[in-house]
Amino acid sequence: MALVEIKNLTFAYPGSEKNALCGVDLSAEAGELVVVCGTSGGGKSTLLRLLKKEIAPYGKLSGRIEAENCEIGFVGQNVESNIVTDTVLGELAFALECRDFTDKEISLKIAQAASYFNLNKYINEKTDSLSGGVKQLLALACAASVNPRLLLLDEPCSQLDPISAQNFKNTVLRLNRELGVTVVASEHSPQLLPHADKILFLENGKAQFCGCPEEFAHYLLENEMPFSLILPPYTRLLKSRTLDFAAARREIADVQAKPCEDIQKHAAAVTVKNLAFAYGRKQPDILFGMDYTAEQGRINAIVGANGCGKTTFLKCLAGILRPYGGKIKKNGKTAYLPQNVQTLFLYDSVNKEVNSEALLSRYGLDAFRQRNPFDLSGGEAQRLALAKIEQTGADILLLDEPTKGTDPVFRAKLAGILKAWCAAGKTVILSTHDLEFAGRYADNVAFLFGGNIVCTERRRKFFAALDIYTTSLSALTNGRIVSIDDAEVSP
């Protein structure tokens, strides 16, 4: 018998006329890795939460959903909400103390989890001092410490930088391949796709596809589906449609690169000189001696690891935080999109938050006019927040991880929106962990490290200079091709 068995599952939230899930079938055998993907609001999170009774949503359910009577671990997409205590040691102990373990067993399991997940050096740290990557790894360690047979992951890498996301993915694969833990993960990125035993594609609550990764790639591309954007760029570019990175490296040598465009330099919209900031007199500097220039009418991206100071910098530009040194010159009014977009919501319905029909339509929010903003999915909430930012009419848009929680189809639409803003004379400054997004759509990219901007260059030149912290196509071609738009595609 399968570890997870779902038959004709239909579910509707209270007061909703539309089913969140409709007739979904899924079977997962012990030790399998199942990836659930689909557009925002397609039912991925609902499906995962229904598998764990303690967090299952309330509503009308029909059909059958069964997970073999076993321990189930869960890691959500919100890094902060996964942490419940104030220390790493306390967090690891908390999950175990809720079970029937002796003190000796708890100590041994903590030692095992800390060692397996490489958390030894953080064991006495405060959880609020950890980077997002370490917090998410800690959440995974807590979920795994109780020896679950089934592990549910709901967009676990959506707030992580590329290196942290890669480390998290590798750890998940170890749990799955080495320890035989069954994993069901929802994803908006291609991180786990090539490694999956099975992929379930949900759209509007319905299962459109269920099969192996190679079949999924051909299904999306042969049917010219917009959601094919979830596939790695090399899969979409190469004729073989391979998902295998090593195979793609051999094949891509024959693909020619377009010449680099000579992009005219624009006037500065934001100029920063010798900026310095710390969260208190006795606290270490987060930013120190920073110089930065953002061009008007351009998409200016800032990349860097979790905890490097990107959010702090944007808040300084927005006037939310006050630097203790340096100067900031801005040519226009600013608006700031935070990582936690729910902090922007003030009303009990979407149409009260955004009173423009054109904006609601542009951001795909027509069907949610009467919905409470706090009842939206992560991707839907992100779209509403972006609409609110545009509604301000600001000249300089400061966006903190604007692609977080959004599906690949909307990310492409977002790029069009940002370019339209720039064509109208507005300036975009965004921080992002999404190197593929920055590598395809940004005009200028800056690297924040050690409290300062260490490099700012045009998009292609920036990523071509990097060997590891770069786009998948740049890594494959040694910087010759940075994004799919830079390649000459033969007919």
Side-chain angles (χ1 to χ4, degrees), residues 307-328:
C308 72
K310 300 188 299 297
T311 295
T312 299
F313 180 47
L314 289 186
K315 286 183 175 180
C316 288
L317 295 183
I320 298 170
L321 296 177
R322 185 175 180 180
Y324 73 80
K327 293 183 179 180
I328 299 174

Side-chain angles (χ1 to χ4, degrees), residues 44-45 76 79 82 84 88 94 109 113 134 162-163 202 211 235 250 260 285 311 362 403 408 435 444 464 467 483:
K44 301 183 299 297
S45 296
V79 173
N82 289 326
V84 296
V88 173
F94 179 79
K109 284 183 176 292
V134 176
I163 303 303
L202 294 176
T235 304
R250 293 189 294 271
C260 288
D285 288 316
T311 295
R362 186 178 309 162
T403 63
L435 298 187
N444 305 311
D467 304 312
S483 86

Side-chain angles (χ1 to χ4, degrees), residues 65 91 130 146 256 287 357-359 369 471:
I65 179 167
E91 192 69 20
L130 303 176
V146 294
Q256 300 300 310
L287 307 171
E357 290 295 319
L359 280 177
R369 285 182 175 84
T471 67

Side-chain angles (χ1 to χ4, degrees), residues 360-431:
L360 289 173
S361 178
R362 186 178 309 162
Y363 288 90
L365 296 167
D366 307 75
F368 307 113
R369 285 182 175 84
Q370 303 304 321
R371 184 86 65 88
N372 190 305
F374 294 94
D375 291 336
L376 299 175
S377 72
E380 291 161 355
Q382 196 79 354
R383 300 205 302 265
L384 176 58
L386 286 163
K388 283 202 70 171
I389 292 299
E390 181 171 342
Q391 189 172 244
T392 66
D395 307 293
I396 301 168
L397 294 312
L398 308 171
L399 313 179
D400 197 355
E401 297 293 341
T403 63
K404 176 177 68 69
T406 61
D407 62 67
V409 178
F410 181 75
R411 287 199 290 271
K413 186 174 181 180
L414 171 64
I417 290 169
L418 301 187
K419 289 182 180 296
W421 287 354
C422 292
K426 297 181 183 296
T427 301
V428 175
I429 304 175
L430 62 89
S431 71

Side-chain angles (χ1 to χ4, degrees), residues 215-329:
E215 291 171 344
F216 182 56
H218 283 278
Y219 164 77
L220 293 176
L221 292 167
E222 287 175 7
N223 290 288
E224 299 182 347
M225 300 185 70
F227 199 76
S228 63
L229 290 167
I230 196 175
L231 300 172
Y234 55 82
T235 304
R236 290 179 275 131
L237 178 63
L238 300 176
K239 291 180 179 178
S240 68
R241 307 307 193 193
T242 182
L243 283 162
D244 182 77
F245 194 82
R249 183 181 292 280
R250 293 189 294 271
E251 188 180 345
I252 205 165
D254 298 328
V255 178
Q256 300 300 310
K258 294 178 181 177
C260 288
E261 295 180 14
D262 184 17
I263 303 175
Q264 182 181 0
K265 191 170 183 178
H266 284 200
V270 174
T271 305
V272 175
K273 292 290 185 183
N274 204 30
L275 189 70
F277 178 85
Y279 284 99
R281 291 185 178 180
K282 296 184 179 181
Q283 298 298 314
D285 288 316
I286 306 299
L287 307 171
F288 186 77
M290 176 186 280
D291 294 337
Y292 176 71
T293 300
E295 288 187 47
Q296 184 177 346
R298 299 290 195 197
I299 300 175
N300 303 273
I302 303 171
V303 302
N306 284 103
C308 72
K310 300 188 299 297
T311 295
T312 299
F313 180 47
L314 289 186
K315 286 183 175 180
C316 288
L317 295 183
I320 298 170
L321 296 177
R322 185 175 180 180
Y324 73 80
K327 293 183 179 180
I328 299 174
K329 181 181 178 182

Side-chain angles (χ1 to χ4, degrees), residues 3 28-33 70-71 116 147-151 171-184 197:
L3 189 72
E29 302 293 333
E32 280 193 327
L33 169 59
C70 63
E71 190 71 47
Y116 188 88
N147 195 29
R149 289 191 62 200
L150 175 61
L151 185 60
T171 306
V172 169
L173 291 176
R174 283 186 64 196
L175 289 170
N176 176 247
R177 303 302 191 225
E178 296 176 11
L179 303 182
V181 177
T182 303
V183 177
V184 179
D197 297 297

Side-chain angles (χ1 to χ4, degrees), residues 50-107:
L50 285 171
L51 283 167
K52 188 170 173 63
K53 294 179 181 178
E54 296 86 346
I55 58 173
Y58 177 75
K60 185 179 179 181
L61 184 148
S62 63
R64 184 159 64 95
I65 179 167
E66 294 179 2
E68 187 178 303
N69 189 20
C70 63
E71 190 71 47
I72 299 175
F74 181 87
V75 179
Q77 60 182 287
N78 189 330
V79 173
E80 303 300 331
S81 67
N82 289 326
I83 307 296
V84 296
T85 70
D86 62 347
T87 66
V88 173
L89 180 61
E91 192 69 20
L92 288 170
F94 179 79
L96 298 166
E97 288 169 347
C98 296
R99 271 74 174 178
D100 190 22
F101 293 123
T102 66
D103 289 346
K104 185 177 180 179
E105 287 172 331
I106 289 174
S107 296

